[in-house]
Amino acid sequence: MRGRPLLYVDYNKEQSLFPTIAQKVLLAIGALIAISVPFGLVPGFKFLASPGWLQLLVIALIFMIGAAGLNIVTGMAGQISLGHAFFMGIGAYTTAALSGSSTEALWGMELPMWFGVIVGGLVAAGLGILIAPTAVRVRGLYLAIVTLGLVFIGQHLFRNWNQVAGIAELGRNWGPFQLSLWDIDGPTLDLATDGEWFGFFLPGQGKAYLFMLVVAALFLLLAKNLARTRIGRSFAAIRDRDIAAEVMGVNEAKAKTQAFAISSFYAGVAGGLYATFLGFLPPEQWSLFLSVQFIAIVLIGGAGTVIGVVLGTLFVQLLPRLVENFTGFLSDQIADGTWLAPIADIVIKTGSGDFGVLSLDAQGAGLSIFQANTVLYGLLIAVFLIFEPLGLYGIWLKVRNYWKGWPFTY
Amino acid sequence: MTTHSHVGKRTLADWRHRGGGDYEHLLEFRDVSLAFKGVKALTDVSFHVDDGELFAVIGPNGAGKTSTFNCLNGVYKPQEGEILWKGESLLGKRPDVIAGHGIARTFQNIELFAHMTVLENLLTGRHVRTNVGPLAGALWFGSAKKEELENRALVEDIIDLLEIKAWRKYPVALLPYGIQKRVELGRALAMEPELLLLDEPVAGMNLEETEDMARFILDIREELGIAIILVEHDMGLVMDIADRIMVLDFGVEIAVGAPAAIQSDPQVIKAYLGEDF
Ligand SMILES: Nc1ncnc2c1ncn2[C@@H]1O[C@H](COP(=O)(O)OP(=O)(O)OP(=O)(O)O)[C@@H](O)[C@H]1O
Ligand SMILES: [Mg+2]
């Protein structure tokens, strides 16, 4: 078999998740690098070990779980849902009510985080099942509009249900970000405070990162398995040709219900983890912008593929940081008066008398960094939809096929 | 590039339908009528198909051939009449339930799952014959893995039978038309049907492709014992391979019988065959 990497001698081997040696090696290297991040061991990746970067990466990992969920309903089953933020909010507030601490004004049962998060996922899944019949009746853009309605219903609910979500403008506290079996007072694994793990001193974010790496890997693996088995194929069949799928024996209503339930479960879990990790959030958090971010991840990454979810999330989550760094770089250029200064001066607005597209202080004309990001997401979604419908995954395929044919690059 | 090794014990040959059972006909249409807002697509159509039979339906464009299939699949609901499968009514059942009874189909305009590979399309055909749920699938539990491997072995047999080995891993959208038609046939076969509905399987094919397809159809009937209803405009093919033929014209059944009888039926010659004979 040596020297013939594409020869498989049985289907069992061929159907394993990572059939080739090259894939296994790549995966192992990737996993090692990912695990080593908070320890700052690998040259070139040391800067990631700072609390700031780790915080960003933890959020990216949580978003990967949420995006894997949207990918199931939108990427695999082809049902456009703008309601993802709603299901995340449901998961987050269920978690808060179960694992948050109670005051006179707030509900909180002080149960362990894992319990709150899982139940949050299940409650979101239950609501997903209630929504699914709509997806059987309305399709495409109409479904997008109906699910958009969910976000607004959610916002109204969260803003007014003060015992659960806190006072409208302020929000509420979630429970501690720690793993305990049942007794909340004795954390088995404290993920929030700095401390020593495996003989290394780690910031709280470093511990949270390692925990979330395991959880996200698990959820991505489950999604990948789902995609390659019977139910995943039935989703894709409904997406590609719904009438033919039914004539082939796929129950449309059942498939859509399953897709919405699983997707909402992922959203609920991601919402619960996100809120508990950040610790304090206002009800405004679960807005349309959040849903759009997830749509952007799925479309930019490459709808329907799990690797696309990973690429898309990293891209969308790290983009604001890049924009920030870029504007920082430009204002340095102006300050130092380099040859780039005139161009930089056009792009960013420094003082109140200056003009520029991006404004660094939040006053007057010009886009704030947040607004610039929103515009960028929109632009990127449009660009990918038009030029590369397979997303980053498609670009990766092209690169791979290029090297496969090397040196015969026709 | 891939060699064979059957993990599952069942192979294509094991499916062979011997037919027989406590019913008069495998399938029976009794006075089925279907109308779309005044347009009568089918009027009092009656026929039956027995185990292992190759039954052909012919007729000019718009005669109601595809509509007959759609009624049978549960996609259209006929206003009158009765459709019996092994003596039991199919009317009012959902398409996926009817598929579960063992009725598979190919489409006049190819309806493959465009974003899937050939292999995935065929595996999707296994949906009705398998039952691993979302949780077991996601966890890749013992039964899920076993079922996947069994599916794969059966699907590989179909790939052999239809000679589409070379295309196994290709997204179907990239395949030539003739191959897509074969893949669609394979997907229907993967359902282990007892009745196979073929809607113009050789439309748009050249002579060689037509001969290949005719050979596959005969193989399927001979080796697997599956009853077939064939809708086809290619008169030569129909006369060569059908056991019995029904002629439709404007939704009305004008003759049913053996090929020789149909060829010499004056009404048929007048309505349809005309210049061809
Ligand atoms: N969904 C529909 N809505 C309205 N009319 C329909 C519909 N489906 C079929 N018809 C009409 O029913 C009649 C029969 O159509 P059908 O598709 O069954 O014909 P056919 O025999 O398959 O023709 P062809 O050889 O062109 O495939 C036609 O007059 C057609 O216009
Ligand atoms: Mg037709």
Side-chain angles (χ1 to χ4, degrees), chain A residues 313-390:
Chain A
T313 311
L314 289 177
F315 191 82
V316 166
Q317 280 297 312
L318 301 184
L319 187 69
R321 185 63 180 248
L322 292 177
V323 172
E324 223 169 282
N325 284 359
F326 180 64
T327 46
F329 168 78
L330 289 182
S331 55
D332 286 351
Q333 299 298 312
I334 296 174
D336 299 349
T338 63
W339 62 271
L340 271 173
I343 304 169
D345 197 29
I346 296 172
V347 178
I348 61 171
K349 168 173 170 292
T350 40
S352 53
D354 189 21
F355 290 98
V357 182
L358 288 167
S359 82
L360 297 184
D361 47 15
Q363 288 153 18
L367 297 170
S368 69
I369 290 187
F370 174 78
Q371 289 164 329
N373 281 320
T374 315
V375 171
L376 263 178
Y377 289 148
L379 221 61
L380 282 168
I381 292 177
V383 166
F384 271 98
L385 280 181
I386 295 166
F387 297 108
E388 186 52 79
L390 288 178

Coordinates of all heavy atoms in Angstrom, one line a residue, chain A residues 313-390:
Chain A
T313 N -15.5 31.2 11.4 CA -15.6 31.8 12.7 C -14.3 32.6 13.0 O -14.3 33.7 13.5 CB -15.8 30.8 13.8 OG1 -16.9 29.9 13.5 CG2 -16.1 31.4 15.2
L314 N -13.2 31.9 12.8 CA -11.9 32.6 13.0 C -11.8 33.9 12.3 O -11.5 35.0 12.8 CB -10.7 31.7 12.6 CG -10.5 30.5 13.6 CD1 -9.4 29.6 13.1 CD2 -10.2 31.0 15.0
F315 N -12.3 33.9 11.0 CA -12.2 35.1 10.2 C -13.1 36.2 10.7 O -12.6 37.3 11.0 CB -12.7 34.7 8.8 CG -12.5 35.7 7.7 CD1 -11.2 35.9 7.1 CD2 -13.5 36.6 7.4 CE1 -11.0 36.8 6.2 CE2 -13.3 37.5 6.4 CZ -12.0 37.7 5.8
V316 N -14.4 35.9 11.0 CA -15.3 36.9 11.4 C -14.9 37.4 12.8 O -15.1 38.6 13.1 CB -16.7 36.3 11.4 CG1 -17.7 37.2 12.2 CG2 -17.2 36.2 10.0
Q317 N -14.4 36.5 13.7 CA -14.1 36.9 15.1 C -12.8 37.8 15.1 O -12.7 38.6 15.9 CB -14.0 35.7 16.0 CG -15.4 35.2 16.4 CD -16.1 36.3 17.3 OE1 -15.5 36.9 18.2 NE2 -17.3 36.5 16.9
L318 N -11.9 37.4 14.2 CA -10.6 38.1 14.3 C -10.6 39.4 13.4 O -9.8 40.3 13.6 CB -9.5 37.2 13.8 CG -9.3 35.9 14.7 CD1 -8.1 35.1 14.3 CD2 -9.2 36.3 16.2
L319 N -11.6 39.5 12.6 CA -11.7 40.7 11.7 C -11.7 42.0 12.5 O -11.0 42.9 12.1 CB -12.9 40.6 10.8 CG -13.1 41.6 9.7 CD1 -12.0 41.4 8.7 CD2 -14.4 41.5 9.0
P320 N -12.6 42.1 13.5 CA -12.6 43.4 14.2 C -11.3 43.8 14.8 O -10.8 44.9 14.8 CB -13.6 43.2 15.4 CG -14.4 42.0 14.9 CD -13.6 41.2 14.0
R321 N -10.6 42.7 15.3 CA -9.2 43.0 15.8 C -8.3 43.5 14.8 O -7.5 44.4 15.0 CB -8.7 41.6 16.4 CG -7.4 41.7 17.1 CD -7.5 42.6 18.4 NE -6.3 42.7 19.1 CZ -6.1 42.2 20.3 NH1 -7.0 41.6 20.9 NH2 -4.9 42.3 20.8
L322 N -8.4 42.9 13.6 CA -7.5 43.4 12.5 C -7.9 44.8 12.1 O -7.0 45.6 11.8 CB -7.7 42.4 11.2 CG -7.2 41.0 11.4 CD1 -7.5 40.2 10.2 CD2 -5.7 41.0 11.7
V323 N -9.2 45.1 12.0 CA -9.6 46.5 11.7 C -9.0 47.4 12.7 O -8.4 48.5 12.4 CB -11.1 46.6 11.6 CG1 -11.5 48.1 11.5 CG2 -11.7 45.8 10.5
E324 N -9.1 47.0 14.0 CA -8.5 47.9 15.1 C -7.0 48.1 14.9 O -6.5 49.2 15.0 CB -8.8 47.1 16.4 CG -9.3 48.0 17.5 CD -9.7 47.1 18.7 OE1 -10.8 46.5 18.6 OE2 -8.9 46.9 19.6
N325 N -6.3 46.9 14.7 CA -4.9 47.0 14.5 C -4.5 47.9 13.3 O -3.6 48.7 13.3 CB -4.3 45.6 14.3 CG -4.2 44.9 15.6 OD1 -4.6 45.4 16.6 ND2 -3.7 43.6 15.5
F326 N -5.3 47.8 12.3 CA -5.1 48.5 11.0 C -5.2 50.0 11.3 O -4.4 50.8 10.9 CB -6.0 48.1 9.9 CG -5.8 48.7 8.6 CD1 -4.7 48.6 7.9 CD2 -6.9 49.5 8.1 CE1 -4.5 49.3 6.7 CE2 -6.7 50.2 6.9 CZ -5.6 50.0 6.2
T327 N -6.3 50.4 12.0 CA -6.5 51.8 12.2 C -5.4 52.3 13.2 O -4.9 53.5 13.0 CB -7.9 52.1 12.8 OG1 -8.1 51.2 13.9 CG2 -9.0 52.0 11.8
G328 N -5.0 51.5 14.1 CA -3.9 51.9 15.0 C -2.6 52.1 14.3 O -2.0 53.1 14.5
F329 N -2.4 51.2 13.3 CA -1.2 51.3 12.4 C -1.3 52.7 11.7 O -0.3 53.4 11.6 CB -1.2 50.1 11.5 CG -0.2 50.3 10.4 CD1 1.2 50.0 10.6 CD2 -0.6 50.5 9.1 CE1 2.1 50.1 9.6 CE2 0.3 50.6 8.0 CZ 1.6 50.4 8.3
L330 N -2.4 53.0 11.1 CA -2.6 54.2 10.3 C -2.4 55.5 11.2 O -1.7 56.4 10.8 CB -4.0 54.3 9.7 CG -4.2 53.3 8.5 CD1 -5.6 53.4 7.9 CD2 -3.1 53.4 7.4
S331 N -2.9 55.5 12.4 CA -2.8 56.7 13.2 C -1.3 56.8 13.7 O -0.8 57.9 13.8 CB -3.7 56.7 14.4 OG -3.6 55.5 15.2
D332 N -0.6 55.7 13.8 CA 0.8 55.8 14.1 C 1.6 56.5 12.9 O 2.5 57.3 13.1 CB 1.4 54.4 14.3 CG 1.0 53.8 15.6 OD1 0.5 54.6 16.4 OD2 1.3 52.6 15.9
Q333 N 1.1 56.1 11.7 CA 1.7 56.7 10.5 C 1.6 58.2 10.5 O 2.5 58.9 10.2 CB 1.1 56.1 9.2 CG 1.3 54.6 9.1 CD 2.7 54.1 9.0 OE1 3.5 54.7 8.2 NE2 3.1 53.2 9.8
I334 N 0.4 58.6 10.9 CA 0.1 60.1 10.9 C 1.0 60.7 11.9 O 1.7 61.7 11.7 CB -1.4 60.4 11.1 CG1 -2.2 59.8 10.0 CG2 -1.6 61.9 11.3 CD1 -3.7 59.9 10.3
A335 N 1.0 60.1 13.1 CA 1.8 60.7 14.2 C 3.3 60.8 13.8 O 3.9 61.8 14.1 CB 1.6 59.8 15.5
D336 N 3.8 59.8 13.2 CA 5.2 59.7 12.8 C 5.5 60.5 11.5 O 6.7 60.7 11.2 CB 5.7 58.3 12.6 CG 5.6 57.5 13.9 OD1 5.3 58.2 15.0 OD2 5.7 56.3 13.9
G337 N 4.5 60.9 10.8 CA 4.6 61.7 9.6 C 5.4 60.9 8.5 O 6.2 61.5 7.8
T338 N 5.1 59.6 8.4 CA 5.8 58.8 7.3 C 5.2 59.1 6.0 O 4.2 59.9 5.9 CB 5.7 57.3 7.6 OG1 4.3 57.0 7.6 CG2 6.3 56.9 8.9
W339 N 5.7 58.4 4.9 CA 5.2 58.7 3.6 C 3.7 58.2 3.4 O 3.0 58.6 2.5 CB 6.1 58.1 2.5 CG 6.2 56.5 2.6 CD1 7.1 55.8 3.4 CD2 5.3 55.6 2.0 NE1 6.9 54.5 3.3 CE2 5.8 54.3 2.4 CE3 4.2 55.6 1.2 CZ2 5.2 53.1 2.0 CZ3 3.6 54.5 0.7 CH2 4.1 53.2 1.2
L340 N 3.3 57.3 4.4 CA 1.9 56.8 4.3 C 0.9 57.8 4.9 O -0.3 57.6 4.8 CB 1.8 55.5 5.0 CG 2.1 54.2 4.2 CD1 2.1 53.0 5.1 CD2 1.0 54.1 3.1
A341 N 1.5 58.8 5.6 CA 0.6 59.7 6.4 C -0.5 60.3 5.6 O -1.7 60.3 6.0 CB 1.5 60.7 7.1
P342 N -0.2 60.8 4.4 CA -1.3 61.5 3.6 C -2.5 60.5 3.3 O -3.6 60.9 3.5 CB -0.7 61.9 2.3 CG 0.8 61.9 2.6 CD 1.0 60.9 3.7
I343 N -2.1 59.3 3.0 CA -3.2 58.3 2.7 C -4.0 58.0 4.0 O -5.2 57.9 4.0 CB -2.6 57.0 2.1 CG1 -1.8 57.3 0.9 CG2 -3.7 55.9 1.8 CD1 -0.9 56.2 0.4
A344 N -3.2 57.7 5.0 CA -3.8 57.4 6.3 C -4.7 58.5 6.8 O -5.8 58.3 7.3 CB -2.7 57.2 7.4
D345 N -4.3 59.7 6.5 CA -5.1 60.9 6.9 C -6.5 60.9 6.3 O -7.5 61.3 6.9 CB -4.4 62.2 6.6 CG -5.0 63.3 7.4 OD1 -5.5 63.1 8.5 OD2 -4.9 64.5 6.9
I346 N -6.6 60.4 5.0 CA -7.9 60.3 4.3 C -8.7 59.2 5.0 O -9.9 59.4 5.2 CB -7.7 60.0 2.8 CG1 -6.9 61.2 2.2 CG2 -9.0 59.8 2.1 CD1 -6.4 60.9 0.8
V347 N -8.1 58.1 5.3 CA -8.9 57.0 5.8 C -9.5 57.2 7.2 O -10.6 57.0 7.5 CB -8.1 55.7 5.8 CG1 -8.9 54.5 6.4 CG2 -7.6 55.4 4.4
I348 N -8.6 57.8 8.1 CA -9.1 57.9 9.5 C -9.3 59.4 9.8 O -8.6 60.3 9.3 CB -8.2 57.2 10.5 CG1 -6.8 57.8 10.5 CG2 -8.2 55.7 10.3 CD1 -6.0 57.3 11.7
K349 N -10.2 59.6 10.8 CA -10.5 61.0 11.2 C -9.8 61.1 12.6 O -10.2 60.4 13.5 CB -12.0 61.1 11.3 CG -12.6 62.3 12.0 CD -14.1 62.2 11.8 CE -14.8 63.3 12.6 NZ -14.7 62.9 14.1
T350 N -8.9 62.0 12.7 CA -8.2 62.1 14.0 C -8.8 63.2 14.9 O -9.4 62.9 15.9 CB -6.7 62.4 13.7 OG1 -6.6 63.4 12.7 CG2 -6.0 61.2 13.4
G351 N -8.7 64.4 14.5 CA -9.3 65.5 15.4 C -10.7 65.8 15.0 O -11.2 65.2 14.1
S352 N -11.3 66.7 15.6 CA -12.7 67.1 15.3 C -12.8 67.9 14.0 O -13.8 67.9 13.3 CB -13.4 67.9 16.4 OG -12.5 69.0 16.8
G353 N -11.6 68.5 13.6 CA -11.7 69.3 12.4 C -11.3 68.5 11.2 O -11.5 68.9 10.0
D354 N -10.9 67.2 11.4 CA -10.3 66.4 10.3 C -11.5 65.6 9.7 O -12.5 65.3 10.3 CB -9.3 65.4 10.9 CG -8.6 64.7 9.8 OD1 -8.6 65.2 8.7 OD2 -8.0 63.6 10.1
F355 N -11.3 65.2 8.4 CA -12.2 64.3 7.7 C -11.6 63.0 7.6 O -10.4 62.8 7.7 CB -12.6 64.9 6.3 CG -13.4 66.1 6.4 CD1 -12.8 67.4 6.3 CD2 -14.8 66.0 6.6 CE1 -13.5 68.5 6.3 CE2 -15.5 67.2 6.7 CZ -14.9 68.4 6.5
G356 N -12.4 62.0 7.5 CA -11.9 60.6 7.3 C -13.1 59.6 7.3 O -14.2 60.0 7.8
V357 N -12.8 58.4 6.8 CA -13.9 57.4 6.7 C -14.1 56.8 8.1 O -15.2 56.6 8.6 CB -13.5 56.3 5.7 CG1 -14.7 55.3 5.6 CG2 -13.3 57.0 4.3
L358 N -13.0 56.5 8.8 CA -13.1 55.9 10.1 C -12.8 56.9 11.2 O -11.9 57.7 11.1 CB -12.1 54.8 10.2 CG -12.3 53.5 9.4 CD1 -11.1 52.7 9.4 CD2 -13.5 52.7 10.1
S359 N -13.7 57.0 12.2 CA -13.4 57.9 13.3 C -12.9 57.1 14.5 O -13.5 56.1 14.9 CB -14.6 58.8 13.6 OG -15.5 58.1 14.4
L360 N -11.9 57.6 15.2 CA -11.4 56.9 16.3 C -12.1 57.3 17.6 O -12.3 56.5 18.5 CB -9.8 57.1 16.4 CG -9.1 56.5 15.3 CD1 -7.6 56.7 15.5 CD2 -9.4 55.1 15.0
D361 N -12.4 58.6 17.7 CA -13.2 59.0 18.8 C -14.7 58.9 18.4 O -15.0 59.0 17.2 CB -12.9 60.4 19.3 CG -12.8 61.4 18.1 OD1 -13.3 61.0 17.0 OD2 -12.3 62.5 18.3
A362 N -15.6 58.7 19.3 CA -17.0 58.4 18.9 C -17.8 59.7 18.6 O -19.0 59.7 18.8 CB -17.6 57.6 20.0
Q363 N -17.1 60.7 18.1 CA -17.9 61.9 17.9 C -17.9 62.3 16.4 O -17.0 62.0 15.7 CB -17.2 63.1 18.6 CG -17.5 63.0 20.1 CD -16.4 63.7 20.9 OE1 -15.7 64.5 20.4 NE2 -16.3 63.4 22.2
G364 N -19.0 63.0 16.0 CA -19.1 63.5 14.7 C -19.2 62.5 13.6 O -19.5 61.3 13.8
A365 N -18.9 63.0 12.3 CA -19.1 62.1 11.2 C -18.0 61.0 11.2 O -17.0 61.0 12.0 CB -19.0 62.9 9.9
G366 N -18.1 60.1 10.3 CA -17.2 59.0 10.2 C -17.7 57.7 10.9 O -18.5 57.8 11.8
L367 N -17.3 56.6 10.4 CA -17.7 55.3 10.9 C -16.9 55.0 12.2 O -15.7 55.1 12.2 CB -17.6 54.2 9.9 CG -18.3 54.3 8.6 CD1 -17.8 53.2 7.6 CD2 -19.8 54.1 8.9
S368 N -17.6 54.5 13.2 CA -16.9 53.9 14.3 C -16.3 52.6 13.9 O -16.7 52.0 12.9 CB -17.8 53.8 15.5 OG -18.7 52.7 15.3
I369 N -15.4 52.0 14.7 CA -14.9 50.8 14.4 C -15.9 49.7 14.3 O -16.0 48.8 13.4 CB -13.7 50.4 15.4 CG1 -12.6 51.3 15.1 CG2 -13.3 48.9 15.2 CD1 -11.4 51.0 15.9
F370 N -16.9 49.8 15.2 CA -18.0 48.8 15.2 C -18.8 48.9 13.9 O -19.1 47.9 13.3 CB -18.9 49.1 16.4 CG -20.2 48.3 16.4 CD1 -20.2 46.9 16.9 CD2 -21.4 48.8 16.0 CE1 -21.3 46.2 16.9 CE2 -22.6 48.0 16.0 CZ -22.5 46.7 16.5
Q371 N -19.1 50.1 13.5 CA -19.9 50.3 12.3 C -19.1 49.8 11.1 O -19.6 49.2 10.1 CB -20.3 51.8 12.1 CG -21.3 52.2 13.1 CD -21.4 53.7 13.1 OE1 -20.4 54.5 13.0 NE2 -22.6 54.2 13.4
A372 N -17.8 50.1 11.1 CA -16.9 49.7 10.0 C -17.0 48.2 9.9 O -17.0 47.6 8.8 CB -15.5 50.1 10.2
N373 N -17.0 47.5 11.0 CA -17.1 46.0 11.0 C -18.4 45.6 10.4 O -18.4 44.6 9.6 CB -16.9 45.5 12.4 CG -15.5 45.4 12.8 OD1 -14.6 45.1 12.0 ND2 -15.2 45.8 14.0
T374 N -19.5 46.2 10.8 CA -20.8 45.9 10.3 C -20.8 46.0 8.7 O -21.2 45.1 8.0 CB -21.9 46.8 10.9 OG1 -21.6 46.9 12.2 CG2 -23.3 46.2 10.6
V375 N -20.2 47.1 8.3 CA -20.2 47.3 6.8 C -19.4 46.2 6.2 O -19.7 45.6 5.1 CB -19.6 48.7 6.5 CG1 -19.3 48.8 5.0 CG2 -20.6 49.8 7.0
L376 N -18.2 45.9 6.8 CA -17.3 44.9 6.2 C -18.0 43.5 6.2 O -17.9 42.8 5.2 CB -16.1 44.7 7.1 CG -14.9 45.5 6.6 CD1 -13.7 45.4 7.6 CD2 -14.5 45.1 5.2
Y377 N -18.8 43.1 7.2 CA -19.5 41.8 7.2 C -20.4 41.8 6.0 O -20.5 40.8 5.2 CB -20.3 41.6 8.4 CG -19.6 41.4 9.7 CD1 -20.0 41.8 10.9 CD2 -18.4 40.7 9.6 CE1 -19.3 41.5 12.1 CE2 -17.7 40.4 10.8 CZ -18.1 40.9 12.0 OH -17.4 40.6 13.1
G378 N -21.2 42.9 5.8 CA -22.2 43.0 4.7 C -21.5 42.8 3.4 O -21.8 42.0 2.5
L379 N -20.4 43.6 3.2 CA -19.6 43.5 2.0 C -19.1 42.1 1.7 O -19.1 41.6 0.6 CB -18.4 44.5 2.1 CG -18.1 45.4 0.9 CD1 -19.3 46.3 0.6 CD2 -16.9 46.3 1.2
L380 N -18.5 41.5 2.8 CA -17.9 40.2 2.6 C -19.0 39.2 2.2 O -18.7 38.3 1.4 CB -17.2 39.8 3.9 CG -15.8 40.5 4.0 CD1 -15.3 40.2 5.4 CD2 -14.8 39.9 3.0
I381 N -20.1 39.2 2.9 CA -21.2 38.3 2.6 C -21.5 38.4 1.1 O -21.6 37.4 0.3 CB -22.5 38.5 3.4 CG1 -22.2 38.2 4.9 CG2 -23.6 37.7 2.9 CD1 -23.4 38.5 5.8
A382 N -21.7 39.7 0.6 CA -22.0 39.9 -0.8 C -20.9 39.4 -1.7 O -21.2 38.7 -2.7 CB -22.3 41.4 -1.0
V383 N -19.7 39.7 -1.4 CA -18.6 39.3 -2.2 C -18.5 37.7 -2.3 O -18.3 37.2 -3.4 CB -17.2 39.8 -1.7 CG1 -16.0 39.2 -2.3 CG2 -17.2 41.3 -1.9
F384 N -18.6 37.1 -1.2 CA -18.5 35.6 -1.2 C -19.7 35.0 -1.9 O -19.5 34.0 -2.7 CB -18.4 35.1 0.3 CG -17.0 35.0 0.7 CD1 -16.5 36.0 1.5 CD2 -16.2 33.9 0.3 CE1 -15.2 35.9 2.0 CE2 -14.9 33.8 0.8 CZ -14.4 34.8 1.6
L385 N -20.9 35.5 -1.7 CA -22.0 35.0 -2.4 C -21.9 35.1 -3.9 O -22.3 34.2 -4.7 CB -23.3 35.7 -2.0 CG -23.9 35.2 -0.7 CD1 -25.2 36.0 -0.4 CD2 -24.2 33.7 -0.7
I386 N -21.3 36.2 -4.4 CA -21.1 36.4 -5.8 C -19.9 35.6 -6.4 O -20.0 35.0 -7.4 CB -21.0 37.9 -6.1 CG1 -22.3 38.6 -5.7 CG2 -20.7 38.1 -7.6 CD1 -22.2 40.1 -5.7
F387 N -18.8 35.7 -5.7 CA -17.6 35.2 -6.3 C -17.1 33.8 -5.8 O -16.5 33.1 -6.5 CB -16.4 36.2 -6.1 CG -16.7 37.5 -6.8 CD1 -16.9 38.7 -6.1 CD2 -16.6 37.6 -8.2 CE1 -17.2 39.9 -6.7 CE2 -16.9 38.8 -8.8 CZ -17.2 39.9 -8.1
E388 N -17.5 33.5 -4.6 CA -17.0 32.2 -4.1 C -18.1 31.6 -3.2 O -18.0 31.6 -2.0 CB -15.7 32.4 -3.3 CG -15.0 31.2 -2.9 CD -14.8 30.1 -3.9 OE1 -13.8 30.3 -4.7 OE2 -15.5 29.1 -4.0
P389 N -19.1 31.0 -3.9 CA -20.2 30.5 -3.1 C -19.8 29.4 -2.1 O -20.5 29.1 -1.1 CB -21.2 29.9 -4.1 CG -20.8 30.5 -5.4 CD -19.3 30.8 -5.3
L390 N -18.7 28.7 -2.4 CA -18.2 27.7 -1.4 C -17.4 28.3 -0.3 O -16.9 27.6 0.6 CB -17.3 26.7 -2.2 CG -18.1 25.7 -3.1 CD1 -17.1 24.8 -3.8 CD2 -19.1 24.9 -2.3

